[in-house]
Amino acid sequence: MKVDEIIKAKNLPIKDFDGIIIGGGGSGMRTSLQLAESGLKTAVISKVFPTRSHTVSAQGGITCAIQSDDPEDDWRWHMFDTVKGSDYIGDQDAIEYMCSEGPKAIFELEHMGLPFSRTEEGRIYQRPFGGQSKDYGRGGQASRTCAAADRTGHSLLHTLYQANLKAGTDFLNEWFAIDLVLNSEKEVTGVIAFEIESGEIFYIRSRATVLATGGAGRIYASTTNALINSGDGIGMALRAGFPVQDIEMWQFHPTGIYGHGTLVTEGCRGEGGYLINNEGERFMERYAPNAKDLASRDVVARAMAKEILEGRGCGTNQDHIKLRLDHLGPEVVHKRLPGITELSKTFAHVDPAVEPIPVVPTCHYMMGGIPTNIHGQVITIKDGKDSLVNGLYAAGEVACVSVHGGNRLGGNSLLDLVVFGRAAGIYIEKSLKQGLSLQLSSEDDIDQALNRLNNLNSSKDGKETAELKKGMQQNMQNNFGVFRRGDLMEKGIEDLTNTRNAFENIYLSDKSAFFNTARIEALELQNLFEVAEATAITANERKESRGAHARDDFPERDDDNWLKHSIYFSSDKSVSKRDVNFRPNTVQAFQPEERKY
Amino acid sequence: MNSTIPTEELRSITLSVYRFDPGKDKKAYMQDIEIEVPVNKDLMVLDALVLAKKQETSLSFRRSCGEGVCGSDGMNINGKNGLACVTPLSEAIKGEKLVVKPMPGLPVVRDLIVDMKQFFDQLEKVKPYLITKDEAPEQERKQSPEEREKLDGLYECILCGCCSTACPSFWWNPDKFLGPAALLQSWRFIADSRDQATEERLDDLDDAFSLYRCHGIMNCVSVCPKGLNPTEAISNIRKKLINRKK
């Protein structure tokens, strides 16, 4: 059965696995490793060869209180920083779990061979990152981010791939997942997916389906994200009738290379680099007198945007900021930041050991996602209450277990991947071995999941992918960026509403079966559109400023009304609120305070 | 940031690109596609391919990160293997023409996409993972900065395949000669102070083909987009093999 045909469920071949993981990045491969070692029949479905996944682009490190730089460091301090960084809508049970389990997960990675940089004592090297403190904010800057030079994501992803090879994980590489298959109980029984090269399509059936599809930064025109970051898991979940949480919370990384978007790690500022405006002023001293350039990312990105808006941007168009590293000396720049040196030379034509790098705040990370508990089990809302979705799990950037809340701290995304990828694996292994079973899906259920593909394959006219994508990305960039305003967002939402039909009916001119990237891009764009619309509608509903969500028309945080998660369903485009968890197990909850850096 | 797209002065270039769709083409052919690129801004080859795909939506190539770290878009650009996303047009283009073909030596799946199976099969043969025999400590295994430094120039490999598909020895024996990428990975683990399988790794390489088919042509070094040196890694393994026979 090939992907270029109009397909009926009754003809569709089936592949059976105990567990499937959709996505071969850091979280997916951490889950698969856990399951492969358990002897269960599991497969990773990845649309790219696993080491091409976007985890590879993470640079600066993985934050965790492993007590190398500071033997007195405490995971509770890390927890405090993360809660504060989240602007108090991170779930404290999940943050507690991540920060306390973190060291175990890091040491496991080291045992697998991750080539961390080292201290003189032979321990893992840790560097300072934004928003880090000792002693619950009272003890000054901490150095808590474990690093492999500035190639930590590359090292982590390759190490996990290597460990999976060793464990004998079954990889379905260059397979694309189209939609989830449900049953009459609205449980998830697997996914429709095809092998990109041959075009062979299957219903891949499983008792545990894990979404580990990463982010969706490509909804914006300018992003640090890979071209493959199209929110496939979010699209699949929304179409299946499951919600997304805090999807309006998008991190703009302070330092994307001007004109290109390539990430320049926060580790640059951790190693002593700083930002300057066109007067050469180290302006972060005005915005964050204590932490300065190592304030939280939302704070730094807004300060940069303000400098530019007030006419102090650099360059002939006064539209960017400069990142100085030259004062650190070539030794530090080349040894600690070799990848940045390479990227700066390639994309900005500057050697950072000599000249500053031109940078602008650039879309970087999706704090929101599919709500889950700490075991990766997906949560939906029924009659205003949390309800677990049988058969479906999520981990990593696609999930919102909510450790990042309104703003993620640097180095916490890699930790999120390995801690919750691992946690999901442990939980799934246990429940599968206890004999978890699901009702079978009917042919109608399967046909439902084939709709999107069949629609695309029968398209006869309309707009094509490239044209539609450009308009959507520009809309998101202009109306849902660092600063947001009701009237502009409404205009943006209207534009999305008006174009939904065109996105649902993309015209696919090339309908061939073998390695057809045009079909993939069309399917991806439909996923991006779901993410964009969810972002837009939810952003307009959250009438306050919190974390990365900064509104000119509601400049203050509103704890009375919005110390809440947002929950969005695409079926009726509704936004509701969900309680934030303030019940950690072993420490007192951290109560909201004014955020100062 | 809000951004506006300024109007740019454009010039036309010809992209001559290898085309083959196994569903309809009996054999491969080269297609010329005219694209407009900015005069004052240097694009990368990948940008040019994306522009071409807007006109020819069926044109297929792999790409992901767009910044030279994921290794998806290795291809043959004006006769030399490289990553499309970090090869500037100003460097790649000869005259007004840019010739782009798939990496040589591997079967073509479609257009610029090659079947990497042989490449990854060879990689797996070197057991590209840390092997330890002692029980892991509670914390990390200790490694000095000097020991860790031995991995620099090795762990950065992105498995793009540019080196192995530029290697005549690999073209001739892609099933027997492991190729520069796999051998660099082999040395990456032999060189790691934490790895405890040096002897078995060397045993596996001690035949006429796996390693010794390297003739020091050094194409691998000249094309590596990460500036790595597989030839040196191979010669390091060779030295170990020779020393152990003494």
Side-chain angles (χ1 to χ4, degrees), chain B residues 129-144:
Chain B
Y129 38 77
L130 194 74
I131 299 175
T132 53
K133 315 227 152 125
D134 302 342
E135 204 177 315
E138 211 163 289
Q139 295 190 331
E140 69 269 52
R141 288 194 169 84
K142 295 281 174 72
Q143 187 172 50
S144 71

Side-chain angles (χ1 to χ4, degrees), chain A residues 49 51-52 56-57 59 66 68 107 110-124 148-149 151 154-155 158 161-163 165-166 174 197 224 226-228 252 259-260 262-263 305 308 335 342-343 346-347 360-361 464 466 470 474 477-478 482 509-510 512 514-518 521 524, chain B residues 1-5 21-23 41-42 44 46 53-54 57-72 85-86 109-110 113 115-116 120 123-124 128-132 136-146 148-149 151 155-160 185 188-189 192 194 225-226:
Chain A
F49 183 78
T51 62
R52 321 294 189 214
V56 83
S57 294
Q59 298 170 353
I66 60 159
S68 164
F107 294 137
E110 196 282 333
H111 298 156
M112 290 174 213
L114 201 156
F116 282 111
S117 301
R118 299 288 172 157
T119 66
E120 285 305 319
E121 294 74 41
R123 294 209 57 195
I124 293 170
R151 300 189 180 99
H154 162 92
S155 304
H158 280 256
Y161 180 65
Q162 292 157 3
L165 276 184
K166 193 175 178 182
E174 299 192 321
E197 179 177 331
T224 63
L227 288 145
I228 59 170
F252 285 76
H260 192 267
T262 310
L263 174 67
I308 293 168
K335 186 153 188 126
E342 196 181 315
L343 290 171
T346 306
F347 292 107
V360 284
E464 294 200 66
K470 197 172 173 187
Q474 210 55 50
Q477 191 78 23
N478 292 341
V482 174
S509 58
D510 172 16
S512 61
F514 299 100
F515 222 117
N516 181 345
T517 53
E521 288 184 17
E524 288 176 332
Chain B
M1 292 301 301
N2 292 355
S3 75
T4 48
I5 300 167
D21 176 352
K41 193 183 168 199
D42 198 8
M44 297 294 173
L46 178 62
K53 190 171 171 64
K54 283 184 183 168
T57 52
S58 63
L59 175 65
S60 291
F61 47 90
R62 293 186 177 106
R63 83 286 179 278
S64 173
C65 74
E67 57 185 39
V69 298
C70 80
S72 295
C85 61
V86 289
V109 173
R110 175 171 175 168
I113 296 165
D115 181 351
M116 301 278 284
F120 290 122
L123 175 72
E124 287 184 32
Y129 38 77
L130 194 74
I131 299 175
T132 53
E138 211 163 289
Q139 295 190 331
E140 69 269 52
R141 288 194 169 84
K142 295 281 174 72
Q143 187 172 50
S144 71
E146 293 72 31
R148 168 60 184 75
E149 209 163 295
L151 308 183
Y155 82 97
E156 300 93 325
C157 173
I158 57 175
L159 306 177
C160 62
Q185 286 301 301
R188 178 250 173 274
F189 288 99
D192 195 321
R194 300 168 295 176
K226 306 309 285 183

